[in-house]
Amino acid sequence: MGDSSLSDLKPEYRVDGSCWKFVPVISEGFFNQRPGDIFRHHLILLQLQLAVIFTLAAIIHFFLGRFYLPRLISEVLAGVILGPTVLGRFFPDISAVLFSEQSVKVLATLTRFGYLFFMFLIGVKMDVNLIKKSGKREWTIGTMVMLFPLLVTVMIGRHISIVVDKVDAQTAQYEVSFFTGVLMLTSFPVVAILLMQLKIINSELGHLTLSSALISDMVSLVMINIGNYRVIMLLASLRVALKSLFLVAVLIVFILTVLQQMLYWIIRKTPEGKPVKDAYIFFVVIALLVVAIVGENVGLQYMYGPFILGLTVPTGHPLASTLIEKLDTIVSGWMLPLMSTYCGYRSNLWNLNRLPPYWIMFAVTFGFFLKVACGFIPAFCFKVPCKDATALALMLAAKGIVELGTFATNAEKQSTVTQEFTWAVIIVFIFAALVPILTRKLYDPSKTYAGYQKRTVLNSSINEGVRMLACAHRQDDALSAVKLLQLSNPSTGSPLSVYGLYLEELVGGASPLLLNHQLGQRSSSDGGRWQPIIDVFNYFKSQSSKPTQVHVYTAISPSSLMHEDVCWVAFDNLVALIILPFHRKWNRKGKLISDSKDLRDFNTKVMNKAPCSVAILIDRDRGRNSSIIDESSAYNICVVFLGGKDDREALSIARRMKGWPSVFLTVIRLKETEDMITGWEGMMDDECLRDIKHPSNENGNVLYKEEIVRHGADTSALIGSILDENFDLICVGRHSQCDSPLIEGLSAWTDLVELGTIGDLLVSAEISKPISILVVQQQVIEK
């Protein structure tokens, strides 16, 4: 049998007098056919469309992104330019080739698939337990911001459409109610994306907004389906509505029983620490497609079945994280932007030859202000500050991809593009652009932890003691911090309050969590990951014979916003010192085994934003297995003092340690001359060192030395000699703003800016001795 080209395979069939020609999806190549014929192949045309769409959207966002506008704005504008508004109007021939009628149907199908998978992923990321943890404040705000505006706006809008706009009763019953109802929704995914964009999802306002949005979304889900069945009863019959309701209930029960048990079976079959098999992922994808098809046929909109299926996936388990890892990139990076662009493409601004109907103007103006008021009033009554309450109300009224997807799904059921759809796209476009700008004006996250009150170890009240926050990403971080906390030497007159914070990256969820284990708070996922850290801190408390309070938290949040949890816990508990683990780890032989760039960025963000003093603990002492230091063995501590507020804070920490029976403290002051320049800083340095300089009964285990250094080279040599001595811990200040001649020339060679010049010298790669380093930065006071 001879070979034949794909172009020869063109069978024709005559159906009702029409000829149907099968055109291959792929092309034989540009040079094997006429140049114009290449656009007949759907795959080639789709690839070209995607290239044009994403290139144009990226160019627009390159300029609009500078004004902090969301990417959704650029994607909708790209669709408007490529649609009948611009390209179809001024270049109709190009538009007819690039966006033929058949190719647009392919794009529409892709957007439906994208929205389907998006709703499934939202269900996977959503932690339903957040509803159980919500209090009266969240329930009141979430219910009022949804229920009251929806009922009032839909009822009055329907009346205006009939009386003023002369719309027939059946159209008002469905289309007007649908349009105004969608505008009054509060969408959890839209609010979560907005909070991530504004980088306030971990703040107190972010937690309140997210919980309220989740409750509001669940209430709206119930209200919408009640409304849909009411329309079915009015337009069809009670029998049809009851039949549909029964079939939908059967489908939901099937998802919550059979499919959920199969998901738990997958989890049980996946060994701990092992990836989920691809076959299981394929099964879940097939299940969500089947659920969507069945749901669409029994009266449940196609996106709600996958959403409910996503809710059944346990948050935080490997199955959830694997599903997000496999699907999120293609859905969020390709399918959803395609939907935004498609909505812009479907709209036609040239059809807007008159003002919008009065019922639309009413829904946009009165409905928006009513929704903002229903969010502001309960929040203000619950003593949320006025600006924060206004920002919360605006964010709960935000519009985005969910509203666009809902309008696009409804528009697909119509043969022509109505003016209402174009107005809907414009309204969502305006809201998506204005709400982030207004929220930024009202709520400045950089001032959330502004330090107007001194929260340092140096300024801590003796009677109240010291409050310290120890952060841990893994168990050995907690062990290292506990050793340092034990040396802090609490006493009856000066107790110690320890706040242990286990930090875990949020994977497989959209809702960050901050759990206080003293209140018995738990996550829906397995707590085995943080239990070893809790045990370390509890063991420290049980072994401490001196007055010590220990509180343990777990923060589960995106790595880019994890520092917000640290700052919030420190701010809320009036902490004086945050202890952070270093981003590098060594084994027992002194060999570097880990160097995390993400952890280094995290430490830098905390130091820049912390409401108190911060210390980075570099623990190279791997010789001790126990987290508790033996009082019978000597522990040698050295403070390298150059002068300045950071060194004074480091000395204050070490001063508390000198009361420990086995601690021997050495303070080495570096001076340029015998007679230091007094000045205000010099006077404060001398005052801080006064009780260290002079021998006394309390300073029996303290050695004070002064070393003359002329420049940075002398300082570097002195640091080298200090490392040769038998010290277990060296405390230094960061000197982030120091221009002292003592470190002249060294700053240019500093690799780790967050450690300062001296700290960078102490952790250089050439050093392999098991010495722990504590680099201290005193609280940055806002002026």
Side-chain angles (χ1 to χ4, degrees), residues 36 160 240 308 380 384 386 441 463 493 500 576 657 670 748 759:
I160 292 175
V240 173
I308 297 172
F380 188 74
V384 177
C386 184
K441 293 292 184 182
N463 296 330
M657 299 179 184
L670 278 61

Side-chain angles (χ1 to χ4, degrees), residues 523-716:
S523 170
S524 59
S525 60
D526 184 16
R529 296 185 298 276
W530 57 71
Q531 192 58 47
I533 285 84
I534 297 175
D535 293 340
V536 169
F537 286 107
N538 288 336
Y539 179 71
F540 163 67
K541 181 179 180 181
S542 65
Q543 295 298 312
S544 178
S545 58
K546 298 181 179 182
T548 304
Q549 292 184 350
V550 177
H551 308 269
V552 188
Y553 295 83
T554 292
I556 306 174
S557 58
S559 58
S560 60
L561 299 175
M562 198 174 287
H563 64 284
E564 295 282 354
D565 286 318
V566 178
C567 294
W568 171 250
V569 174
F571 181 80
D572 191 45
N573 293 287
L574 305 177
V575 167
L577 179 68
I578 298 173
I579 303 172
L580 301 174
F582 191 46
H583 67 275
R584 291 178 180 172
K585 306 294 180 185
W586 294 267
N587 60 14
R588 294 180 182 275
K589 296 180 180 180
K591 183 179 178 181
L592 183 66
I593 58 174
S594 174
D595 190 350
S596 172
K597 182 181 180 299
D598 293 337
L599 186 53
R600 183 186 178 188
D601 292 340
F602 161 77
N603 288 345
T604 302
K605 290 177 181 177
V606 173
M607 298 186 87
N608 291 337
K609 202 170 184 179
C612 60
S613 298
V614 182
I616 296 181
L617 177 60
I618 303 102
D619 185 16
R620 279 179 160 172
D621 183 8
R622 301 297 181 187
R624 292 173 176 159
N625 296 324
S626 174
S627 60
I628 304 300
I629 297 175
D630 186 5
E631 295 188 19
S632 61
S633 60
Y635 199 87
N636 298 300
I637 300 174
C638 175
V639 176
V640 181
F641 192 94
L642 280 70
K645 63 176 186 176
D646 292 344
D647 277 352
R648 292 193 292 270
E649 185 73 3
L651 182 61
S652 300
I653 296 171
R655 184 186 284 115
R656 291 184 60 89
M657 299 179 184
K658 69 184 179 69
W660 188 260
S662 59
V663 165
F664 292 89
L665 175 62
T666 301
V667 179
I668 303 176
R669 185 179 189 184
L670 278 61
K671 301 173 66 174
E672 187 179 3
T673 61
E674 288 289 346
D675 299 324
M676 292 287 290
I677 299 174
T678 54
W680 178 250
E681 286 291 326
M683 293 173 61
M684 295 182 68
D685 291 340
D686 287 338
E687 177 65 24
C688 189
L689 287 166
R690 185 175 59 178
D691 64 328
I692 298 291
K693 286 182 179 180
H694 305 293
S696 64
N697 294 331
E698 296 182 356
N699 293 338
N701 58 345
V702 177
L703 175 64
Y704 174 77
K705 296 193 299 184
E706 293 185 354
E707 298 286 347
I708 305 300
V709 292
R710 305 294 180 183
H711 41 66
D714 290 347
T715 302
S716 179

